[in-house]
Amino acid sequence: MVLVLGLYDRVQMKSRLERDFYPLEAVFEKAGLEKQSDQDYTKAGLVPWSVHVDADKIRKNGYRFPYAQSEQDWLGRIYLPKESLEASLGQELGHQGTELVLTSKSQDLKQVLATTRLIAHAGGTMREAGFLSAYSNSLQALKQNYSLGHRIFEFDLNLTQDGRLAAVHDWEGEALTSQEWESAKTSDKANRQAQYTSLFWEDILKQMEVNPDMIVVTDTKVQSKSQAAIEEQYRILGQAVQKFDPALADRILVQLYKPEDYTLVEELSFFKHYILTLYASDLKEEAIAKALVDKPKIVGLTLPQKDERLTDSLIDQIHAQDRLVFVHTVDGFATLSKMLNRRIDGVYTNNLLAKDLELYQAVLDSQKLNFKLKLATTKKFLW
């Protein structure tokens, strides 16, 4: 009888797994989470996880992962959609028979950039009733946009008076001290009532620990700064990662502002991936591709979307070097479509979400299908 029940249980479980429903408790246990109650789980680490399972969503450290359906088996075990469980854990789920398999997502940063295509600019827009707040670089913006599907985040970073990197696009006047910034509330210039939690670079690293698939692009501002200040920013950036968790360097893309920065940052020996951004550079089109040749860790470059240097010829040259081309900042579907049709690999955006990419792909697939149907009709008519 026991053998029959065991076989029945495995058959039932395998059927659900094949429909992409996974047993919640078993998945969490495999991910290292400890059950505290029927709805609450925790995980120890550099940054502890606190997970709560509601009837329609999983909540983790302020992040939300909704699901539309759940199932319960004959033993009362809860099964949730694979997609929602993967999103909450930042890992990939699979199975071999009824054996669960949990693996890290791809650490090939260039491949992730090429397939994800969207970089949430300044942490992404904070969406509130009747108001969109961009450029906040805030904890709330990060949590909201990660919950909405973003996985790659750009943050603006500026030095405080006492040498810490604060997530702020620019100081309005004199730089604050770290103590002043810690107690400050970031706000939107167009709406002073919108106030959010300010971040330091170390706080962003903590959020990367909570989200194992989160990638960060740094924007340490260089305009109107001395070379010494620029070097200090890179040094502080790297030292914080080394102190907190060196493995995070695999998921950090450091923006360089001129080709010569490559040697400088390489000498610090902190980081593995760079992207050359040209908004502060007067480098001519014909010199851009040449400047990348002996710099293998630069995975790509980014330019303003209306930059006159962004020609088809330049895109061809960068792709010929097996590197990516990004543009900033794109917030409309029409512009997104235009850029992707030009073979741009991705965009920095305040407002766009993964669903916008899905819509673009659906339109593209529809156009391809219509073309095939017209071609087939034409051939039939000719015959």
Side-chain angles (χ1 to χ4, degrees), residues 4-19:
V4 172
L5 289 175
L7 178 60
Y8 175 77
D9 187 45
R10 288 194 295 274
V11 169
Q12 291 293 308
M13 179 179 287
K14 187 176 180 183
S15 173
R16 286 188 171 88
L17 291 172
E18 288 174 348
R19 290 188 290 108

Side-chain angles (χ1 to χ4, degrees), residues 100-244:
L100 301 181
V101 178
L102 189 63
T103 57
S104 298
K105 292 191 176 180
S106 173
Q107 294 300 304
D108 184 337
L109 190 143
K110 187 169 73 172
Q111 180 186 28
V112 175
L113 284 167
T115 54
T116 305
R117 293 194 161 198
L118 299 181
I119 298 175
H121 179 240
T125 285
M126 181 66 194
R127 297 159 180 84
E128 298 191 77
F131 189 76
L132 298 178
S133 181
Y135 288 91
S136 74
N137 288 282
S138 68
L139 181 61
Q140 286 83 356
L142 166 59
K143 288 188 173 183
Q144 187 184 83
N145 282 284
Y146 186 94
S147 299
L148 289 170
H150 273 294
R151 290 298 179 266
I152 308 175
F153 294 84
E154 183 254 17
F155 285 97
D156 303 305
L157 298 164
N158 271 290
L159 283 174
T160 62
Q161 288 185 25
D162 48 343
R164 291 183 69 185
L165 282 170
V168 59
H169 187 269
D170 52 71
W171 300 114
E172 295 181 35
E174 189 177 50
L176 299 182
T177 66
S178 56
Q179 186 175 4
E180 290 169 337
W181 182 246
E182 191 168 12
S183 61
K185 294 289 184 181
T186 66
S187 62
D188 189 282
K189 293 179 181 179
N191 180 11
R192 294 300 181 181
Q193 300 304 311
Q195 295 189 330
Y196 311 113
T197 304
S198 55
L199 295 171
F200 290 102
W201 173 233
E202 294 87 348
D203 298 318
I204 295 169
L205 298 179
K206 290 177 182 178
Q207 297 308 308
M208 293 180 71
E209 284 284 344
V210 173
N211 302 304
D213 59 348
M214 175 180 161
I215 293 171
V216 169
V217 182
T218 68
D219 188 359
T220 50
K221 301 300 183 179
V222 300
Q223 290 168 309
S224 303
K225 287 188 173 66
S226 67
Q227 186 63 27
I230 294 171
E231 292 178 14
E232 183 182 10
Q233 288 180 134
Y234 285 133
R235 189 175 298 107
I236 292 171
L237 196 74
Q239 287 173 342
V241 176
Q242 292 296 305
K243 182 179 180 181
F244 184 73

